[in-house]
Amino acid sequence: MAPKVPPQPTLEQSTTAAAGHGHAHEAPPKGLMRWLLTTNHKEIGTLYLIFSLTMFFVGGIFAMVVRAELFQPGLQLVQPEFFNQMTTMHGLIMVFAAVMPAFTGLANWMIPLQIGAPDMALPRLNNFSFWLLPVAFTLLLSTLFMPGGAPNFGWTFYAPLSTTYGPPSTTFFILSLHIAGISSILGAINIIATILNMRAPGMRMMDMPLFVWTWLITAFLLIAVMPVLAGVITMMLMDINFGTSFFDAAGGGDPVLFQHLFWFFGHPEVYIMILPAFGIVSAIIPTFARKRLFGYASMVYATAAIAILSFLVWAHHMFVVGLPLVAELFFMYCTMLIAVPTGVKVFNWITTLFRGSISFEPPMLFALAFVVLFTIGGFSGLMLAIAPADFQYHDTYFVVAHFHYVLVPGAVFAIMAGVYYWLPKWTGHYPNERLAQWHFWLSVIGVNLTFFPMHFSGLAGMPRRIPDYALQFADFNLVASLGAFMFGASQLLFVAVVVLCVRGGRKAPGRAWEHAEDLEWSVPSPAPLHTFDTPPKFERSSH
Amino acid sequence: MRTLLVWLAGGGLFAGSLQTALANGWNMPVGVTELSGDIYSLHMIIFWICVAIGVVVFGVMFYSLFRYRHSKGAKAANFHEHTLVEVVWTAIPLLILIGMAVPATATLKKMYDASDADLDVMVTGQQWRWRYEYLGEDVAMTSNLATPRTQIRGEEPIDESANYLLEVDEPLVLPVGQKVRFLFTSDDVIHSWWVPDLAIKQDTVPGFINENWVRIEEPGIYRGQCAELCGVDHAFMPIVVHAMEEEEFETWLADRREAAEQEAMGIDREWEMDELMTRGEEVYNAVCVSCHQQDGSGNEPAFPALAGNQEMLDDRDWHIDTVVNGVSGAAMPAFSNTLNPVEIAAVITYERNAWGNDSGDTVQPSEIAELLSD
Ligand SMILES: [Cu+2]
């Protein structure tokens, strides 16, 4: 991907884009039809974000059920069968319906604005990608009401637990994942097409904001691995309904093959959920440190390196499955290697802060917490990479602590940072700073109370995915549950801030943050429905 | 200078409190084998490396946040690149990682060398119990959770002295000082046999045999759990290893062999209804209860009710076949290689005459033995 001058956006392209989103002169349909038929990237972005926030609460309620049951030893609220459905649905909803759509929503809103494009390259496809999601997840959630209940085999749905031994609703789960996967692939195609073809004249690849860069790389990851997920769930479908034995040892199949395929998708999937977060944080930190991002080029190369390595580390999820020694060594070395580009990113952020002029607006608070807490998740990741030690860590609460640190104060905090950062652009108002600060501090305290003790319960021997536990784990679990309730409740503040900000608040100018430099700040706040109908002149000084 | 001292003091306090926390049962156990000790050292080395990096990185970060506040009139500098610095902070982590990879590789190689074992034990995962076979010794047993379900469900208080959820009816007995090789497999889904003090966690995969080994250095009782989600009762299939001196172990093994022979002799004689019911209840409560429930009410749709199950009562042969061979494609396993003929006959008799079931018939061990020998 050598830097090169992109083709000038031709007249034809702008016409296509304009035709797609209902012409400015025609009155757009009103009410529900407007949202159902919209091809405007800002409206679709909003739809994605609302959907994601809704699902964040649905998945959050499942997590609350889990934490309530684990509040003390013994079974109090739910039976193990339902508990397993809750852990499974929590994972599936958070990964596929909350975090991924949130990033896609931000991409929809911000990528055209950041590259000076009038809309996404394929606006009708964009509409279709979004509307697949409510279908997919209505289907998934409906399995809760089916005989035999919802999927109960963990979000990793290992065969044969999910095939021969799965509940009848597994087939619906497969269908819903297929639909969500198609949505992701179409979204990724659209993002790639937009970034490669529709940048403002004069904007080279190496001039793009890092959010655009990280999303471009993420989109390639999505296109590479979503078909593998589709393949593996299709094989499950065949095993369940058509008598094949891909994963059934009794018929000559291989349950371990399932894990290879799943994690070949699953590991890049982890980076799909974190690379755009890197992009958001790389936009926010320079803005509030009033200083250019340190090492722009090395940030781009580090992102690309992480993406490439992500295809070479999948079996570190399988260290205890009985791999040969040489495979263990290969995957251990590659996994350790990922620490290098990830470290580069953290060092760059911190050096950006060094000798800056730093203020602590809500987006910055979340971005700073991201840097610290994501790094803690990175440390436990480095520990997990040590294969011999992983024989003790694997499938314990240590792992639960690790991936929640990267996903909650990692991905989710970055999304929230992005929302606080761009809300003035979306609504024309600043979010209420006092409420946002409360939201931040309660979230930071809650998230650490929830997940920090899990490191210890894991090391002390508590396996994950159990509805009841031995008495020595009681204190850790009590604290974690209290933290989780606190974290869950404080997210209501987030909704309050967003709703209040949409309704009113201090007026924001076009350049809502004084030192923000990317192209989105050159249009008025709130951004009008149609922006950059004529391509802006891109000036190099932006980076 | 003062700032530096404050940072050093803070760092020391932090490291000290971590050390205390880790020493108080909040950490990975050192364990009772050479390898568990090696793994523990690796864990602690990488942990302190992370702490050291964290102190430096977060130190610089919080220093910057404090020192360069906009509200205190800080003016931003203008640098945004420095090739040398960037090369250095790519190279240093790389060197640290190489330093870490060397001992990790050595330990991993030791873990993978299961050759020249003194004793082979086959570990089979089953929903939701473990089966142990001492290969070549004619001794085998099934190990079930011993914690009463009533305590789990909160119908009676948890007995705090009884290792809640970590107690079994039949612990795995192993000799100290000998190299024991484990062969792991599963009859149904993937489980994972994990005992932290032995630093062994190995998945049991249906259709595959995995290997691991242990040489326990101290006699004692070591507890663990299934670590891979395996269905409803994943939380309720603990592992207990009872490590004893070699002579003691040999005696135990001989006793077990004799008991197995005794039971085998019982196959040929005619059993009374009472005897079968008593034995059957024991077997049922150890093996069947987790799915079909204590009162035989089951858990539809996966686990059918046995109490009042007319289909089962009407068709005795079908009932026997189901218990012996299992139901393919469903959760019901084949018990022909888990239970002996006496146990199978007793549990079927029990199911046909308990909870108001009134078939009145018995199933004799000899009948099952004959069926199995075909
Ligand atoms: Cu298990």
Side-chain angles (χ1 to χ4, degrees):
Chain A
M1 246 170 273
K4 67 177 176 68
V5 180
Q8 294 281 322
T10 60
L11 190 62
E12 199 181 44
Q13 271 170 326
S14 343
T15 326
T16 325
H21 55 231
H23 214 267
H25 304 297
E26 297 166 20
K30 290 267 178 289
L32 184 67
M33 287 316 273
R34 170 181 163 200
W35 294 100
L36 217 51
L37 299 178
T38 179
T39 51
N40 180 288
H41 74 102
K42 300 186 183 78
E43 292 183 339
I44 293 174
T46 305
L47 286 174
Y48 266 107
L49 291 170
I50 293 172
F51 176 78
S52 153
L53 187 61
T54 315
M55 287 297 137
F56 181 60
F57 277 92
V58 173
I61 288 167
F62 298 159
M64 294 301 115
V65 174
V66 167
R67 281 320 320 172
E69 179 52 54
L70 293 172
F71 186 72
Q72 64 184 80
L75 296 175
Q76 288 87 25
L77 295 172
V78 296
Q79 289 305 304
E81 171 58 29
F82 189 68
F83 181 91
N84 288 346
Q85 296 176 30
M86 287 292 100
T87 53
T88 305
M89 294 295 268
H90 164 70
L92 289 171
I93 292 288
M94 287 305 198
V95 168
F96 293 104
V99 172
M100 291 173 68
F103 282 126
T104 315
L106 293 172
N108 258 289
W109 249 104
M110 302 320 300
I111 287 177
L113 283 178
Q114 290 198 319
I115 62 172
D119 203 307
M120 296 293 280
L122 308 158
R124 289 200 192 90
L125 193 71
N126 203 11
N127 170 291
F128 184 54
S129 314
F130 171 75
W131 283 108
L132 285 175
L133 286 181
V135 176
F137 292 101
T138 309
L139 192 60
L140 183 61
L141 290 170
S142 72
T143 59
L144 279 166
F145 306 101
M146 292 181 185
N152 55 11
F153 29 66
W155 86 274
T156 50
F157 50 98
Y158 280 8
L161 184 63
S162 62
T163 52
T164 317
Y165 297 84
S169 63
T170 309
T171 301
F172 291 90
F173 150 80
I174 290 172
L175 182 59
S176 86
L177 222 51
H178 264 309
I179 300 174
I182 292 171
S183 161
S184 291
I185 292 174
L186 298 181
I189 290 173
N190 208 347
I191 286 169
I192 293 173
T194 308
I195 296 173
L196 294 186
N197 295 311
M198 296 178 65
R199 295 191 305 279
M203 183 189 270
R204 300 170 312 180
M205 297 286 276
M206 289 307 274
D207 295 324
M208 299 190 312
L210 269 167
F211 181 65
V212 178
W213 253 119
T214 51
W215 240 116
L216 179 65
I217 292 170
T218 302
F220 277 107
L221 286 181
L222 277 168
I223 287 184
V225 301
M226 277 296 166
V228 179
L229 175 69
V232 70
I233 58 181
T234 306
M235 289 157 92
M236 285 174 62
L237 188 77
M238 304 287 284
D239 271 12
I240 294 170
N241 297 300
F242 303 108
T244 57
S245 296
F246 288 110
F247 307 128
D248 181 4
D254 180 352
V256 178
L257 172 68
F258 173 90
Q259 297 186 24
H260 282 294
L261 292 172
F262 177 81
W263 287 114
F264 188 82
F265 147 79
H267 201 80
E269 168 69 19
V270 173
Y271 293 105
I272 287 166
M273 291 190 285
I274 204 67
L275 294 183
F278 291 164
I280 295 170
V281 169
S282 302
I284 293 174
I285 288 183
T287 298
F288 298 99
R290 293 165 181 76
K291 182 161 163 275
R292 269 171 76 178
L293 181 70
F294 186 85
Y296 170 84
S298 68
M299 284 299 217
V300 173
Y301 300 141
T303 310
I306 292 173
I308 291 164
L309 281 172
S310 78
F311 288 108
L312 301 174
V313 298
W314 78 87
H316 69 210
H317 298 271
M318 303 165 57
F319 278 150
V320 306
V321 86
L323 298 177
L325 177 61
V326 47
E328 299 263 324
L329 291 174
F330 173 81
F331 286 105
M332 173 169 77
Y333 300 148
C334 286
T335 306
M336 291 167 81
L337 219 48
I338 285 203
V340 176
T342 315
V344 166
K345 290 200 160 274
V346 174
F347 300 147
N348 281 342
W349 289 321
I350 289 176
T351 313
T352 306
L353 294 170
F354 185 70
R355 297 183 54 205
S357 172
I358 302 162
S359 55
F360 301 92
E361 285 82 352
M364 184 64 159
L365 289 176
F366 276 95
L368 293 172
F370 169 93
V371 174
V372 175
L373 300 174
F374 171 79
T375 304
I376 291 178
F379 285 148
S380 53
L382 188 54
M383 296 172 76
L384 285 159
I386 310 295
D390 187 63
F391 275 75
Q392 292 279 42
Y393 304 137
H394 183 81
D395 261 330
T396 68
Y397 260 85
F398 189 80
V399 177
V400 178
H402 158 71
F403 69 73
H404 279 97
Y405 262 87
V406 242
L407 282 176
V408 185
V412 172
F413 272 25
I415 292 165
M416 286 170 174
V419 169
Y420 282 125
Y421 185 56
W422 285 311
L423 261 177
K425 181 54 60 194
W426 302 338
T427 66
H429 310 119
Y430 286 101
N432 182 313
E433 186 147 358
R434 182 49 60 87
L435 271 184
Q437 279 169 344
W438 273 98
H439 171 229
F440 171 75
W441 287 109
L442 290 174
S443 296
V444 167
I445 296 168
V447 95
N448 283 293
L449 278 179
T450 311
F451 299 117
F452 208 73
M454 292 183 184
H455 291 113
F456 300 116
S457 50
L459 291 175
M462 180 165 165
R464 59 191 283 211
R465 293 168 165 165
I466 53 174
D468 194 9
Y469 47 82
L471 302 179
Q472 66 262 38
F473 309 126
D475 294 344
F476 300 123
N477 278 284
L478 179 91
V479 176
S481 288
L482 290 174
F485 301 148
M486 178 178 172
F487 181 78
S490 42
Q491 299 324 305
L492 295 172
L493 280 176
F494 180 61
V495 180
V497 177
V498 172
V499 170
L500 288 175
C501 186
V502 171
R503 290 190 165 180
R506 192 157 62 87
K507 287 259 179 295
R511 190 170 303 278
W513 313 107
E514 80 184 283
H515 197 76
E517 289 197 332
D518 295 322
L519 274 180
E520 74 263 33
W521 305 107
S522 67
V523 304
S525 298
L529 200 56
H530 300 290
T531 37
F532 298 130
D533 278 338
T534 43
K537 187 90 198 89
F538 177 76
E539 284 164 41
R540 181 100 336 120
S541 71
S542 286
H543 275 289
Chain B
M1 193 60 208
R2 269 214 15 221
T3 341
L4 186 70
L5 280 177
V6 170
W7 277 106
L8 279 178
L13 205 67
F14 174 68
S17 48
L18 267 180
Q19 187 92 61
T20 327
L22 293 180
N24 286 315
W26 292 32
N27 198 1
M28 182 190 290
V30 184
V32 289
T33 71
E34 187 194 332
L35 273 172
S36 72
D38 290 353
I39 289 176
Y40 173 81
S41 316
L42 283 175
H43 159 67
M44 289 316 285
I45 296 171
I46 189 74
F47 171 73
W48 286 116
I49 288 176
C50 288
V51 171
I53 299 175
V55 167
V56 174
V57 169
F58 297 144
V60 175
M61 180 174 172
F62 283 102
Y63 171 80
S64 304
L65 292 182
F66 186 77
R67 172 80 173 69
Y68 305 114
R69 275 171 296 173
H70 184 65
S71 59
K72 296 283 176 245
K75 289 271 174 292
N78 209 8
F79 64 91
H80 58 89
E81 257 168 358
H82 195 293
T83 313
L84 180 66
V85 170
E86 291 177 68
V87 169
V88 166
W89 71 37
T90 310
I92 291 181
L94 205 57
L95 292 175
I96 296 177
L97 290 175
I98 292 170
M100 197 58 222
V102 173
T105 304
T107 305
L108 206 55
K109 279 186 173 158
K110 272 201 262 177
M111 292 167 73
Y112 266 72
D113 179 14
S115 58
D116 300 324
D118 304 309
L119 174 69
D120 284 341
V121 177
M122 183 93 186
V123 177
T124 307
Q126 287 175 350
Q127 285 179 325
W128 289 274
R129 65 191 68 85
W130 299 99
R131 172 142 184 94
Y132 302 116
E133 264 172 90
Y134 296 78
L135 297 182
E137 307 284 348
D138 288 328
V139 173
M141 63 214 194
T142 307
S143 179
N144 294 284
L145 174 75
T147 305
R149 297 268 155 179
T150 43
Q151 289 187 17
I152 297 171
R153 283 196 297 261
E155 290 155 16
E156 60 173 315
I158 292 172
D159 180 354
E160 303 206 359
S161 62
N163 293 300
Y164 179 67
L165 298 186
L166 294 178
E167 198 60 89
V168 295
D169 53 357
E170 288 267 24
L172 173 66
V173 178
L174 292 178
V176 162
Q178 296 208 326
K179 183 163 182 175
V180 179
R181 181 172 69 142
F182 295 111
L183 298 168
F184 296 97
T185 190
S186 167
D187 281 349
D188 36 55
V189 301
I190 301 175
H191 303 266
S192 195
W193 196 84
W194 180 33
V195 180
D197 278 311
L198 310 186
I200 290 193
K201 183 184 287 128
Q202 197 73 59
D203 286 358
T204 69
V205 183
F208 286 74
I209 294 183
N210 282 329
E211 239 185 18
N212 210 322
W213 66 276
V214 75
R215 191 193 300 274
I216 302 175
E217 284 164 0
E218 285 167 46
I221 292 176
Y222 307 111
R223 295 172 198 279
Q225 285 182 266
C226 175
E228 178 65 59
L229 178 62
C230 55
V232 211
D233 275 2
H234 166 51
F236 308 126
M237 50 184 293
I239 297 150
V240 178
V241 174
H242 187 173
M244 49 179 68
E245 298 294 351
E246 212 184 319
E247 312 87 83
E248 207 183 333
F249 172 74
E250 291 301 339
T251 319
W252 174 86
L253 203 60
D255 287 353
R256 272 314 173 100
R257 214 176 285 131
E258 201 176 319
E261 280 161 19
Q262 291 266 313
E263 181 117 307
M265 287 190 326
I267 292 173
D268 297 330
R269 71 179 172 84
E270 186 81 5
W271 285 57
E272 298 292 325
M273 171 69 97
D274 283 356
E275 283 179 285
L276 286 168
M277 285 298 281
T278 317
R279 191 67 213 276
E281 187 171 7
E282 282 168 27
V283 176
Y284 185 89
N285 285 335
V287 177
C288 315
V289 71
S290 55
C291 302
H292 294 290
Q293 307 303 320
Q294 202 139 20
D295 58 0
S297 62
N299 198 353
E300 304 280 357
F303 310 119
L306 303 182
N309 185 330
Q310 210 50 48
E311 191 189 4
M312 176 183 97
L313 293 175
D314 290 346
D315 192 344
R316 187 167 172 276
D317 289 342
W318 176 82
H319 189 181
I320 295 173
D321 178 65
T322 305
V323 176
V324 171
N325 298 318
V327 180
S328 79
M332 180 73 184
F335 282 99
S336 52
N337 48 7
T338 317
L339 302 177
N340 66 38
V342 174
E343 291 166 329
I344 295 178
V347 80
I348 297 175
T349 306
Y350 177 73
E351 287 170 357
R352 301 181 68 75
N353 296 287
W355 327 292
N357 285 359
D358 55 355
S359 71
D361 50 23
T362 64
V363 176
Q364 289 299 324
S366 51
E367 226 178 308
I368 304 295
E370 201 178 320
L371 192 73
L372 292 180
S373 64
D374 290 345

